[in-house]
Amino acid sequence: TRPRIVVTRKIPEAAVEILREAGDVWSPEPDRQLPVEDLHRAAEGADAIVSTLQDPIDAGLADAAGARLKVVSTVAVGYDNIDVPALTDRGVVVTNTPGVLTDATADLAFGLLLAVTRRLGEGERLLRAREPWSFQLGFMLGSGLQGKTLGIVGLGQIGQATARRARAFGMDIVYSGRRRAPEDVERELRATHVDGDELLRTADIVSLHCPLTPQTRHLIDADALAAMKSSAYLINTTRGPVVDEGALAEALANGVIAGAGLDVFEHEPDVHPGLLELDNVALAPHLGSATAETRTAMAVLAARNAAAVLAGDEPLTPVKG
Ligand code: GLV
Ligand code: GLV
């Protein structure tokens, strides 16, 4: 019998074609986020599940799918929604999509960095409100980047790509994280490894690129924000819960830090109402990897991963269990 492949959300046609060659593809019609009971029902008898970061992938789902399940392939680099040990214990391979979204995500991080330091959202709101304005030497001054220090929390692929952009803007790089980057990467980026406290104290802009794990949940809390310079900015393009969003809203309202650029939120799709009131925050609705090219590349890689496992081959980009 042909493998049953469950695709939880609509994905680009190029990826669906790869999956159709590997088995019978089911996905919800019309496209919608399946509530967990519907997801479990849909998963019954699946050999492969192609999922997104909104699907809770855990023991319950694996049990609902049953003994045929061989692979869960998430169309995302982050896999904090997946209980990897629960799946690997059941012999299920988990794969993600690193690499193909690195540049798109770093571009978005830099876009938010520019948006908040140069007050682009605030300026646009002013024009759209049809407020009077005129060019003046002291009008809407932002903060320049040249000679400033970018603090990268987590110098993985996306952190490195963000640092590379910052170097082109004349910034200095420090980074923190459990893992030291390879020496050639440190040399290329002239990136200095520091501990987390020193990074918070010295960076003019702090950009988060660590995965969400139990250790990084609320890494940026009220104490961390208080340790930052009052002139500093925070950029988050990884996962919302790395930041205590209530503490951030309070810090921004009280001038504890100068501003923030946020692509991700603690309780998506909700945004802390305090943040929506503030002009010194640039906001985007989780668009890090949202280019047509990148989303197609992610879905195609996810489809290839699933097809490889179904064919008995090694997946291209497995998550290490
Ligand atoms: C997006 O947030 C991803 O993890 O790919
Ligand atoms: C993964 O791509 C990372 O940035 O660590």
Side-chain angles (χ1 to χ4, degrees), residues 40-314:
H40 286 190
R41 200 168 312 124
E44 263 173 50
D47 297 86
I49 299 174
V50 176
S51 58
T52 78
L53 58 90
Q54 288 174 289
D55 299 314
I57 309 289
D58 54 14
L61 176 76
D63 293 342
R68 291 173 54 143
L69 185 63
K70 292 173 196 64
V71 56
V72 173
S73 174
T74 184
V75 189
V77 68
Y79 49 86
D80 49 279
N81 60 314
I82 302 180
D83 183 346
V84 177
L87 277 98
T88 45
D89 281 355
R90 289 166 173 75
V92 178
V93 175
V94 177
T95 68
N96 68 340
T97 62
V100 292
L101 44 57
T102 300
D103 284 321
T105 308
D107 287 347
L108 202 279
F110 227 83
L112 285 172
L113 193 164
L114 288 167
V116 66
T117 57
R118 300 303 299 275
R119 304 171 64 172
L120 294 176
E122 199 184 337
E124 191 182 89
R125 286 190 291 280
L126 177 126
L127 292 180
R128 288 185 186 276
R130 295 172 164 78
E131 299 279 342
W133 68 283
S134 69
F135 177 88
Q136 294 169 49
L137 291 179
F139 178 55
M140 280 199 80
L141 301 186
S143 176
L145 300 182
Q146 293 71 33
K148 299 282 174 65
T149 297
L150 177 64
I152 302 250
V153 178
L155 196 62
Q157 293 186 61
I158 299 169
Q160 289 172 33
T162 303
R164 208 161 281 126
R165 286 154 178 71
R167 291 289 310 162
F169 278 75
M171 301 185 76
D172 300 320
I173 313 293
V174 297
Y175 77 99
S176 65
R178 267 186 313 122
R179 278 193 336 190
R180 192 79 187 257
E183 222 175 289
D184 58 323
V185 170
E186 286 192 352
R187 204 171 321 115
E188 178 212 337
L189 300 171
R190 284 186 248 164
T192 308
H193 186 262
V194 296
D195 67 35
D197 291 337
E198 184 177 347
L199 182 137
L200 293 172
R201 270 190 289 106
T202 57
D204 297 297
I205 294 160
V206 173
S207 192
L208 304 176
H209 299 285
C210 55
L212 174 62
T213 66
Q215 290 74 40
T216 64
R217 184 174 293 272
H218 283 197
L219 180 71
I220 304 298
D221 57 8
D223 288 342
L225 292 161
M228 289 170 65
K229 297 183 185 183
S230 58
S231 56
Y233 298 86
L234 176 72
I235 308 298
N236 189 8
T237 53
T238 176
R239 284 290 183 271
V242 175
V243 176
D244 179 341
E245 207 167 286
L248 176 62
E250 212 173 293
L252 288 165
N254 296 328
V256 174
I257 65 170
L262 306 174
D263 187 42
V264 288
F265 303 93
E266 211 174 337
H267 306 289
E268 294 178 13
D270 295 339
V271 177
H272 191 288
L275 294 173
L276 298 171
E277 305 296 317
L278 297 170
D279 257 333
N280 55 344
V281 193
L283 300 167
H286 205 144
L287 298 178
S289 63
T291 69
E293 296 89 341
T294 296
R295 286 286 164 80
T296 298
M298 289 165 69
V300 164
L301 177 54
R304 289 200 177 124
N305 273 318
V309 175
L310 291 175
D313 296 331
E314 289 297 314

